Amino acid sequence: MKKVLLFTLMVALIAGAAFAKGGSETKFVTIGTGGVTGVYYPTGGAISRMVNAKPEYGIRATVESTGGSVFNINAVLSGDLDFGIAQSDRQYQAYNGLAEWSEMGAQEDLRAVFSIHPESITLMASVDSGIKGIADLAGKRVNIGNPGSGNLQNSLDVLAAFGLSEADIKAEQVKAVEAPGLLQDGRIDAFFYTVGHPNGNIMEATSGRVRVKIVPIEGPEVDALLSQYSYYAASRIPASLYSSAANDTPFVNSVGVKATFVTSANVSDDVVYAITKEVFDNFDAFKALHPAYQVLTPEDMLTGLSAPIHPGALKYYEEAGMIDLINPALILD
Ligand code: GLU
């Protein structure tokens, strides 16, 4: 009996040692995304599948559905996540200690890797609500986004541009994934979502019994907003991508930002280099993975960044001859 026990123990020890060896070779990384009906979640999936398919990197990437940009930035900074997808405006605010970071101060360990697809502040409303513009939101039940999302601050900024605050509407702060159902059930009149197009969320919102449309965010108030904040730009939402939307024009004016891929200064150069290389070396394959990437060019993916570029990514951009495309202020010595 003793011999059997000893033998079992030895087998367990050897197996344990082998596992530990294998474990030290594989680097496990987690990418924070957003709600499952947005574009961040499939984007994290696309990046992780590409990297996991190449055993030579020794990386095993997994994707986490999260509350969005602000959550991802904070989790990357605390080391709970290795990478996160975050709006360009939120990257700027975190690095400069603004908005949610005004009390904590500048988040100097935040690092940029690359930009991804364009996103637009998207206001969806039921036709019956009579909402035709931001000013009509007064007194209405509106989801402005969950704490931790990128869109919460965007909703507040857009409202403020029209002289409205959270107190002037019946504000909800639920996750984007729940908003289409609430709109279709008549429990809200409208919702804001800062997102790339097309996406499953807006598809869901426009596909039910209740007629729903994309509401324009435009006018002199918006022009003033664009000149106040450098990280906002005019954008157009291709409404024609949603065949059931109650819009009669192919494009709807709005305000845009960019999705960006961020990490922390504490994440190793090898891992950041591998992910950057995989995405840019296989750019056409990456671009084919989601229709929201249709407009992407490698050059675009190096704009809209405000935190310093991670040295692992920089190593790739140097090798690939792309360094001149990067704002020199983002290159640390
Ligand atoms: N822009 C949204 C946010 O930060 C997420 C959009 C998406 O998941 O595609 O929070």
Side-chain angles (χ1 to χ4, degrees), residues 226-247:
L226 299 182
S227 44
Q228 187 179 357
Y229 300 108
S230 59
Y231 44 72
Y232 286 140
S235 75
R236 296 196 312 166
I237 300 169
S240 53
L241 293 173
Y242 304 100
S243 55
S244 308
N247 288 85

Side-chain angles (χ1 to χ4, degrees), residues 45-247:
I47 295 172
S48 61
R49 269 195 308 280
M50 284 175 76
V51 173
N52 292 346
K54 304 272 174 73
E56 59 267 33
Y57 293 137
I59 294 175
R60 184 87 215 149
T62 49
V63 168
E64 215 175 90
S65 168
T66 73
S69 292
V70 174
F71 177 93
N72 294 341
I73 290 174
N74 290 334
V76 158
L77 290 166
S78 68
D80 289 340
L81 292 174
D82 304 285
F83 294 92
I85 306 176
Q87 292 173 203
S88 48
D89 51 324
R90 307 315 232 135
Q91 184 187 136
Y92 177 88
Q93 291 165 344
Y95 189 70
N96 292 290
L98 305 168
E100 275 92 337
W101 297 274
S102 56
E103 274 170 31
M104 287 180 276
Q107 302 299 302
E108 287 172 357
D109 280 344
L110 189 63
R111 292 292 176 270
V113 186
F114 47 74
S115 280
I116 324 174
H117 56 280
E119 300 187 88
S120 285
I121 305 179
T122 307
L123 176 60
M124 304 304 296
S126 62
V127 171
D128 286 349
S129 70
I131 298 166
K132 296 198 171 67
I134 299 293
D136 301 327
L137 291 176
K140 301 285 194 217
R141 298 163 300 170
V142 186
N143 184 39
I144 56 175
N146 58 293
S149 70
N151 35 289
L152 179 55
Q153 187 65 44
N154 302 147
S155 315
L156 296 174
D157 287 347
V158 167
L159 287 169
F162 286 80
L164 297 172
S165 77
E166 212 178 324
D168 299 311
I169 59 172
K170 297 193 183 87
E172 298 286 346
Q173 294 195 0
V174 302
K175 287 189 172 177
V177 72
E178 293 170 35
L182 294 176
L183 190 57
Q184 282 295 331
D185 288 347
R187 289 166 60 198
I188 54 174
D189 301 302
F191 70 83
F192 282 101
Y193 191 20
T194 305
V195 68
H197 294 280
N199 64 76
N201 187 289
I202 304 304
M203 209 72 91
E204 186 188 340
T206 52
S207 305
R209 191 182 45 82
V210 170
R211 297 210 71 209
V212 167
K213 65 174 183 185
I214 307 171
V215 179
I217 302 177
E218 61 189 3
E221 298 87 348
V222 172
D223 299 341
L225 178 78
L226 299 182
S227 44
Q228 187 179 357
Y229 300 108
S230 59
Y231 44 72
Y232 286 140
S235 75
R236 296 196 312 166
I237 300 169
S240 53
L241 293 173
Y242 304 100
S243 55
S244 308
N247 288 85

